[in-house]
Amino acid sequence: MSSKRPKSKEARKIKGKDKKKENNFPTADEGASEPDHPDYIFPLVLTSATQELFGCRADEDLTGENPYKLLKKEDIVQDMKTRASVSDFSPVKQLVLDYPEDELLLVFDRDFTYGQSFYLVLTVEAKHNILKPSVQGDDEEQITHEEEEEEEEDMIIPKTPESHPWMSLGSEQEIEEESVTASRPRLRYKISPLLRRCGAPVCFSDRGALDGKEGFVECPSYQDKSFSIRAMERHTAVQASSDTKHSSTQTLWKYPRNTWTQYESREFSLEEKEHHLRSENMKNFITSVLTRFEISLQQNHIADVFCDDWTALCEDEGALMGKTETTLKEYQSFMDLYFSKEKTISHIRWHPTISGVIAVSMTERLSLEERIDNSAKLLLNPSYILFWNFTDPINPQLQLECPDDVLCFQFCPSDPNIIAGGCMNGQVVLWDISAHVEKLQDTRSGGKNMSNNLDRNSVTPVVRYCAVSGIEIGHKAPITDIQWLPETFELSKLGIPVENPSRVCVQLVTCAPDCCVLFWDLRPPRAVSQSLTDVKQKSQEKPLENPHGVPNTFKHLNLTWKPFIRVSLPKIGSSGEYSPLKFSLRDNTVDCPTGDKPPQSVDREEGCGFAQLRVPSAKQQKPLENISTKLYVGTEDGELVYTDWRIEKDNDSGRLLSSKPIHRLLVHDTLVNTVSRSPFFRDILLTVSSFSFSIWKEGVTSGPLLRSSCSKMLRTTGHWSLSRPAVFFIGKEDGSIEVWDLLQTSHEPSQIQNISSAAVTCISTSSISSKQHLLAVSDRLGTLHILQIPWTLRRSSNSERQIVKKYFEKEEERLEYFQKRQIQHEKEKKEMEAEQQRKKTEPVMSLKQEEELEAEALKEYEQFLALEKVILRNMGLLSETEDRADL
Amino acid sequence: MAEVEDTLKRIQSINGVIGTIVVNAEGIPIRSTLDNSTSVQYAGLLHQLTMKARGTVRDIDPQNDLSFLRIRSKKHEIMVSTGGL
């Protein structure tokens, strides 16, 4: 072992030496495979016993961080002596003995770098070198060895490199191969021409390159196919462009909020206002500004600044030079072949709400004697009222059956479905056409469908009357005029107008030549209501179906209807009574007197059931004050009677008597056939009688405002124009219409136009639209003519009303003047007579009279002087001293 | 103060005058015969118009100044006088 060890060590040494000697081609491989350790390192294996003995146990005393242990040489020698060959240190016995110092370094070789777990450092130098560096894990070697070995460990300590002799690694062989060396001596040749040629005369000549082909050698370029370059050409365009950049921005949609501000105008407090008013500035300002204001205000007063002269100018012009048509144009005429045979139309009424519908009453065209003669035949011929519609000129739309010839009828103003008519026999008749109203309205709009018309041919619905008054208790003469009282008031038993809570027309007025004017009420009379049980029974009973499908509106009145007021017209100043033919009420449209009950015209139910309305008790009724209870009555004798309809209680007899008429005027020669009020002026009346007509003003009792001259042709009827206050129409017996325009000529009609061949019986106007005003004229032959009123007659200028009013006022003044003059005339006449009488009785007193005259003249003169003085003094022209001097 | 009152009363009593308003330079009514809201409304509107009119007059001729402004409408006439306050 011990011998082996050194061998191995030496073997290694030798190898190393061999290596050194053969230092031509050392390979790295060989170096790496050998466990290389320097000479001074001796790997050792120490048994655990040895380890314990020396205190160098592996991993306990000597660790990786602290692998160094100094061992005493003596200890090692001792160990070797004690254990001789068994000791671990035996192989290094000699080396240890040779070691100069006392302490040997034992290094724990954890990583087995030298092959064993421990190694002993044999030289002092190495020991120092190892111990000095503290960081290192493996040793540094100071190689005194000749060899230079490749170390894989890093050299931390920088050392100046020592120069070593170059060691060949085989590169010189390559260089030697490449280098060119002379391998043989260089050959030298000398060439010279023959001697005989040297020195001989020579002749040189030129020869061009192009002579002969041997002169030159061409090497043109050719396309070598083996070698070709394809030039790639590209058409490219280059343009400089600016950088574009897309960017966007967005406003932030903040949460919307409602905000509001409120401002108040600035105002001064009271103190500030006072302060301002008191300031000097204010005073100056006001005084300086005042004059301007006064000038301006004065200007305004002088000339009316708000009058537009231009428009005012054009209106008057237009009226004169307007459209040339002035005649009434025939628009349509209605004549029924079946119904109108031998009949005449007595009254025309336009339907108040449905435009284009007109109702006419047909009566027999017979005089009184003929009637009496043919009375039996007449009973078989029923009379009726026809409804015509413009869309159908051949067939009447509706037919109202009447008990007898109806001389006049009216639509109820509050409910156009109720029609009241006055008959020849003195009965008042009521119709209710609510069932057929739709038909009237439908045909108006849908009547253009001809096929429908043909289907309904000859089927004109007949409506029977709802109620008639009792024959004995009504009029005893044919009713000549009938009118509704407006819905704003109703009359109590005594004729006092009271408030009408139901806002429905409930009362009628009729007049007949039997000398009375009757007032009728549509509601069931109070007396009946006392027997409430009866009434309730009646209402609870199943309503009897009237024959002919008549509605039950006025069932309570039928045949038992009687007037509640009877106004008789006793003559003034004589006995007897006036026999009225026509009457006219003052148009009393009253606004709602009590504030708490607004007019409920909209809420009125259809057919509110007159049966349910009750005559209110006299106590509940509130008398209205603004209503005039007077009416004008035109009589058979041509008088115009102005009377009051209120009934007075006669204290003596306890009977209810009507008061005497207020006044009466005899104007006309024959019966008055029309009394109508002007639609523009409430107190202007037109009365027409056969030969003349008059215009009256209510309240003016001295005479008519205008009286026409007697005409040759009888005047049958008259009617005011609805659109122009100065125009009215008169119908004549020869079938012509006179148009009177008071503004143009008041002594003759402005126009006469012939309409038909028979006498005109009635005229009525209606305005369908603002562009179309129609005049309905009926004649004695039973034809109804509808005429269009031309523009001149329907368009009124703004000032026309005022002009007409002024005209009437002027006439009134004239009448007054006449009256005054008359009175004065009479007075003068009396005086003249008295004077004449006096003259007769005293002719001698002339002298005395002269003296008296002179005295009188002197007195007068003195009076004059005094007066003069007073005046002069007042004027300030006479000073006081002068005055005294005169006195 | 009394004179001012008298003068204002005099103007107001002239036939045809509906109301009078006295306004300071800023358009705030000082004295008025109409009710408050109407005065404030008239004062505000007329103040603006008067300023505009005065500006117009002075633009045309800087030496000039507005003295009186009359506005005639269909129904009424409004007269405004500036006192150079």
Side-chain angles (χ1 to χ4, degrees):
Chain A
M1 278 183 353
S2 58
S3 60
K4 281 180 191 172
R5 286 257 173 136
K7 271 184 189 171
S8 66
K9 193 178 75 168
E10 283 169 357
R12 279 184 207 142
K13 261 193 192 170
I14 292 164
K15 269 189 192 170
K17 281 177 187 171
D18 284 347
K19 274 187 202 168
K20 187 186 76 180
K21 279 177 187 171
E22 302 171 356
N23 65 353
N24 285 334
F25 306 102
T27 58
D29 295 331
E30 281 180 47
S33 60
E34 279 185 334
D36 44 358
H37 61 90
D39 273 344
Y40 55 86
I41 302 287
F42 190 78
L44 270 183
V45 176
L46 298 175
T47 58
S48 52
T50 320
Q51 281 175 19
E52 283 176 21
L53 196 63
F54 282 97
C56 56
R57 284 183 289 248
D59 285 329
E60 283 174 14
D61 299 325
L62 301 176
T63 57
E65 282 99 18
N66 188 20
Y68 310 113
K69 179 92 182 172
L70 289 166
L71 298 175
K72 292 220 165 115
K73 182 179 156 185
E74 292 157 9
D75 291 335
I76 299 169
V77 170
Q78 191 74 31
D79 181 59
M80 281 194 289
K81 282 178 184 170
T82 53
R83 291 200 284 169
S85 58
V86 188
S87 167
D88 293 328
F89 293 101
S90 53
V92 292
K93 181 180 175 183
Q94 193 64 40
L95 294 165
V96 167
L97 289 170
D98 292 334
Y99 196 72
E101 283 195 359
D102 287 333
E103 284 190 341
L104 280 117
L105 180 64
L106 177 73
V107 182
F108 169 58
D109 190 7
R110 196 144 193 260
D111 298 325
F112 287 86
T113 24
Y114 298 122
Q116 306 296 339
S117 57
F118 289 91
Y119 61 84
L120 201 65
V121 176
L122 297 170
T123 59
V124 182
E125 269 180 69
K127 183 179 91 172
H128 285 300
N129 284 338
I130 287 165
L131 283 176
K132 273 168 200 173
S134 55
V135 182
Q136 221 157 279
D138 284 318
D139 21 316
E140 287 281 312
E141 62 268 42
Q142 279 287 356
I143 302 172
T144 54
H145 213 291
E146 292 172 336
E147 292 178 1
E148 192 176 314
E149 295 174 341
E150 282 189 35
E151 295 280 344
E152 290 172 9
E153 298 91 0
D154 294 335
M155 309 280 254
I156 292 171
I157 299 171
K159 291 184 187 156
T160 55
E162 286 183 8
S163 58
H164 300 289
W166 175 77
M167 194 173 67
S168 158
L169 292 173
S171 55
E172 51 216 32
Q173 262 187 341
E174 288 171 10
I175 293 169
E176 273 180 16
E177 279 171 8
E178 294 293 316
S179 64
V180 176
T181 55
S183 56
R184 59 175 171 79
R186 293 206 181 121
L187 300 175
R188 295 176 83 186
Y189 293 96
K190 185 175 176 185
I191 302 165
S192 63
L194 292 175
L195 276 169
R196 55 181 148 122
R197 282 225 187 141
C198 283
V202 179
C203 185
F204 291 103
S205 63
D206 289 330
R207 196 186 72 169
L210 295 172
D211 297 343
K213 286 193 185 165
E214 300 90 24
F216 63 95
V217 175
E218 242 186 351
C219 344
S221 65
Y222 62 96
Q223 193 153 23
D224 191 357
K225 287 196 178 120
S226 61
F227 185 66
S228 66
I229 300 172
R230 259 183 58 198
M232 303 276 286
E233 272 183 25
R234 278 188 313 167
H235 286 284
T236 56
V238 178
Q239 178 170 7
S241 69
S242 54
D243 274 344
T244 58
K245 210 167 73 164
H246 285 275
S247 73
S248 63
T249 170
Q250 168 104 13
T251 56
L252 288 176
W253 175 251
K254 292 203 174 38
Y255 171 57
R257 277 181 306 176
N258 286 332
T259 59
W260 50 272
T261 71
Q262 174 142 359
Y263 71 94
E264 232 178 42
S265 50
R266 284 184 295 175
E267 280 176 10
F268 281 137
S269 64
L270 275 171
E271 299 91 37
E272 281 176 330
K273 282 188 191 171
E274 301 253 326
H275 168 73
H276 275 287
L277 282 171
R278 274 197 213 101
S279 66
E280 197 58 37
N281 271 342
M282 174 65 85
K283 218 195 295 184
N284 295 339
F285 165 67
I286 294 275
T287 42
S288 68
V289 151
L290 185 64
T291 37
R292 292 182 211 145
F293 273 107
E294 288 185 326
I295 292 169
S296 312
L297 287 167
Q298 202 173 40
Q299 281 174 355
N300 280 359
H301 275 294
I302 291 169
D304 182 16
V305 285
F306 294 106
C307 164
D308 189 356
D309 301 317
W310 175 249
T311 49
L313 190 68
C314 95
E315 257 184 9
D316 296 340
E317 293 286 321
L320 292 172
M321 296 189 294
K323 311 218 175 133
T324 49
E325 50 163 271
T326 50
T327 55
L328 302 160
K329 262 200 236 169
E330 174 106 9
Y331 181 73
Q332 212 165 11
S333 81
F334 294 103
M335 167 94 179
D336 191 82
L337 301 163
Y338 174 65
F339 292 116
S340 312
K341 232 196 288 185
E342 290 179 16
K343 282 201 187 268
T344 174
I345 297 175
S346 58
H347 205 70
I348 307 174
R349 274 279 158 247
W350 291 87
H351 196 285
T353 49
I354 307 175
S355 68
V357 175
I358 189 170
V360 292
S361 62
M362 315 291 289
T363 57
E364 292 294 330
R365 203 190 316 153
L366 301 167
S367 70
L368 190 61
E369 291 125 16
E370 287 166 1
R371 273 177 195 269
I372 297 169
D373 289 339
N374 300 336
S375 55
K377 219 197 292 180
L378 282 174
L379 283 172
L380 298 171
N381 246 354
S383 43
Y384 33 79
I385 295 179
L386 291 176
F387 274 74
W388 291 98
N389 193 321
F390 281 2
T391 55
D392 189 359
I394 302 171
N395 302 315
Q397 301 306 124
L398 205 60
Q399 196 184 331
L400 301 181
E401 201 182 307
C402 334
D404 204 349
D405 283 347
V406 168
L407 287 178
C408 55
F409 66 97
Q410 288 273 1
F411 286 91
C412 172
S414 57
D415 185 2
N417 295 335
I418 313 274
I419 304 160
C423 292
M424 207 90 181
N425 55 7
Q427 279 182 314
V428 179
V429 192
L430 284 169
W431 290 275
D432 185 355
I433 55 163
S434 26
H436 302 271
V437 159
E438 283 180 16
K439 184 168 173 286
L440 283 173
Q441 281 172 332
D442 281 341
T443 49
R444 198 185 105 251
S445 56
K448 293 182 185 163
N449 197 345
M450 281 305 294
S451 59
N452 275 350
N453 277 346
L454 288 171
D455 290 341
R456 294 193 208 132
N457 211 4
S458 78
V459 179
T460 314
V462 178
V463 180
R464 226 177 106 83
Y465 46 87
C466 273
V468 279
S469 65
I471 294 184
E472 302 89 27
I473 42 181
H475 282 287
K476 295 182 179 57
I479 297 178
T480 48
D481 203 359
I482 184 168
Q483 273 189 24
W484 289 84
L485 282 179
E487 66 239 20
T488 48
F489 68 94
E490 57 178 78
L491 297 185
S492 69
K493 266 250 171 213
L494 293 174
I496 300 165
V498 292
E499 197 185 327
N500 182 3
S502 56
R503 297 275 175 255
V504 171
C505 289
V506 290
Q507 292 179 341
L508 300 170
V509 191
T510 59
C511 80
D514 63 349
C515 312
C516 55
V517 174
L518 298 180
F519 285 75
W520 305 76
D521 197 317
L522 290 177
R523 296 167 296 192
R526 262 185 79 78
V528 180
S529 67
Q530 279 182 1
S531 57
L532 283 169
T533 47
D534 286 343
V535 171
K536 276 188 190 165
Q537 258 185 357
K538 277 186 197 167
S539 59
Q540 277 166 6
E541 276 175 11
K542 230 169 136 188
L544 285 172
E545 271 293 325
N546 267 344
H548 308 279
V550 171
N552 292 338
T553 328
F554 297 111
K555 196 155 163 40
H556 55 278
L557 296 170
N558 203 1
L559 297 173
T560 56
W561 200 13
K562 62 177 184 181
F564 68 102
I565 297 179
R566 181 183 291 265
V567 178
S568 63
L569 302 166
K571 281 198 182 170
I572 309 169
S574 53
S575 66
E577 290 173 334
Y578 298 110
S579 48
L581 282 183
K582 298 274 179 190
F583 67 93
S584 163
L585 301 167
R586 195 183 169 102
D587 181 24
N588 293 307
T589 49
V590 180
D591 298 326
C592 180
T594 54
D596 50 349
K597 270 193 213 163
Q600 296 156 345
S601 53
V602 188
D603 300 339
R604 223 187 304 127
E605 302 154 16
E606 287 290 332
C608 64
F610 287 96
Q612 275 82 45
L613 291 174
R614 291 277 176 263
V615 178
S617 69
K619 293 174 197 165
Q620 289 171 1
Q621 291 168 334
K622 248 192 270 177
L624 296 172
E625 285 150 26
N626 298 337
I627 303 200
S628 154
T629 57
K630 304 180 177 52
L631 63 145
Y632 273 100
V633 179
T635 64
E636 260 181 331
D637 303 320
E639 299 154 327
L640 189 65
V641 180
Y642 188 51
T643 182
D644 192 333
W645 71 56
R646 277 183 292 196
I647 309 274
E648 288 166 357
K649 226 172 176 180
D650 189 15
N651 289 329
D652 297 335
S653 53
R655 274 193 313 164
L656 297 169
L657 284 178
S658 58
S659 51
K660 287 235 173 182
I662 297 168
H663 63 263
R664 140 265 185 218
L665 300 140
L666 178 61
V667 185
H668 299 289
D669 313 311
T670 55
L671 48 88
V672 174
N673 54 38
T674 308
V675 175
S676 95
R677 283 191 192 249
S678 165
F680 292 91
F681 305 104
R682 275 195 199 170
D683 46 5
I684 304 287
L685 285 155
L686 170 73
T687 56
V688 180
S689 80
S690 304
F691 293 107
S692 62
F693 68 87
S694 312
I695 296 184
W696 303 82
K697 185 168 166 134
E698 194 169 345
V700 172
T701 57
S702 47
L705 296 179
L706 178 73
R707 194 190 324 178
S708 81
S709 54
C710 293
S711 68
K712 292 178 200 158
M713 208 53 69
L714 292 182
R715 297 197 164 100
T716 51
T717 182
H719 195 88
W720 286 95
S721 156
L722 286 178
S723 51
R724 288 190 62 185
V727 171
F728 52 91
F729 304 96
I730 304 275
K732 308 258 288 269
E733 208 191 348
D734 59 352
S736 57
I737 300 261
E738 280 179 3
V739 178
W740 286 77
D741 187 349
L742 289 174
L743 295 178
Q744 286 190 332
T745 49
S746 57
H747 64 280
E748 62 177 15
S750 57
Q751 253 183 350
I752 304 180
Q753 192 173 341
N754 194 302
I755 307 293
S756 78
S757 52
V760 172
T761 52
C762 190
I763 302 177
S764 177
T765 52
S766 144
S767 56
I768 303 262
S769 63
S770 63
K771 297 251 168 109
Q772 198 182 35
H773 285 213
L774 297 174
L775 186 73
V777 179
S778 63
D779 65 9
R780 220 161 156 270
L781 291 174
T783 314
L784 177 68
H785 303 268
I786 310 283
L787 302 158
Q788 244 183 344
I789 299 178
W791 187 83
T792 46
L793 289 176
R794 78 167 175 263
R795 193 181 168 282
S796 71
S797 59
N798 279 355
S799 52
E800 186 171 335
R801 200 193 156 117
Q802 274 181 329
I803 294 172
V804 174
K805 201 168 172 186
K806 279 189 192 151
Y807 169 75
F808 288 137
E809 279 168 13
K810 222 168 45 172
E811 294 297 320
E812 205 183 319
E813 280 172 24
R814 172 186 65 90
L815 286 171
E816 282 175 27
Y817 174 71
F818 271 123
Q819 261 192 327
K820 276 188 208 158
R821 282 299 299 174
Q822 207 161 19
I823 295 168
Q824 209 174 8
H825 199 73
E826 289 202 12
K827 222 165 80 180
E828 277 177 1
K829 202 171 162 185
K830 273 186 196 164
E831 279 177 0
M832 262 178 65
E833 281 176 4
E835 230 185 274
Q836 273 182 357
Q837 286 228 327
R838 251 190 303 163
K839 272 186 187 165
K840 280 178 196 168
T841 53
E842 303 170 3
V844 196
M845 311 278 283
S846 55
L847 275 170
K848 277 191 184 167
Q849 283 182 353
E850 271 186 28
E851 281 178 21
E852 281 176 16
L853 280 173
E854 275 183 30
E856 278 180 24
L858 199 64
K859 232 197 278 176
E860 279 185 26
Y861 182 60
E862 281 172 20
Q863 276 178 5
F864 166 69
L865 283 176
L867 185 65
E868 188 188 356
K869 273 193 200 133
V870 167
I871 287 173
L872 285 174
R873 206 188 300 144
N874 281 343
M875 282 171 63
L877 295 172
L878 196 61
S879 64
E880 291 202 34
T881 51
E882 275 185 38
D883 195 17
R884 265 188 245 135
D886 279 347
L887 286 174
Chain B
M1 169 86 172
E3 295 169 21
V4 165
E5 294 272 357
D6 283 339
T7 319
L8 288 174
K9 271 192 200 146
R10 214 169 92 205
I11 296 184
Q12 180 65 31
S13 63
I14 293 177
N15 184 26
V17 172
I18 298 175
T20 328
I21 306 175
V22 180
V23 154
N24 82 333
E26 290 178 327
I28 307 173
I30 295 174
R31 177 65 178 252
S32 169
T33 61
L34 306 165
D35 60 282
N36 194 27
S37 53
T38 319
S39 316
V40 159
Q41 185 184 24
Y42 270 95
L45 294 168
L46 289 168
H47 178 67
Q48 292 176 26
L49 186 64
T50 316
M51 288 299 118
K52 192 76 175 174
R54 175 188 275 157
T56 311
V57 167
R58 293 189 75 158
D59 276 346
I60 293 169
D61 178 13
Q63 311 293 329
N64 209 350
D65 195 6
L66 180 74
S67 66
F68 203 72
L69 182 66
R70 280 169 97 165
I71 304 164
R72 196 173 297 153
S73 68
K74 279 188 198 167
K75 296 182 187 172
H76 309 296
E77 180 166 3
I78 303 174
M79 297 178 193
V80 179
S81 173
T82 62
L85 265 181

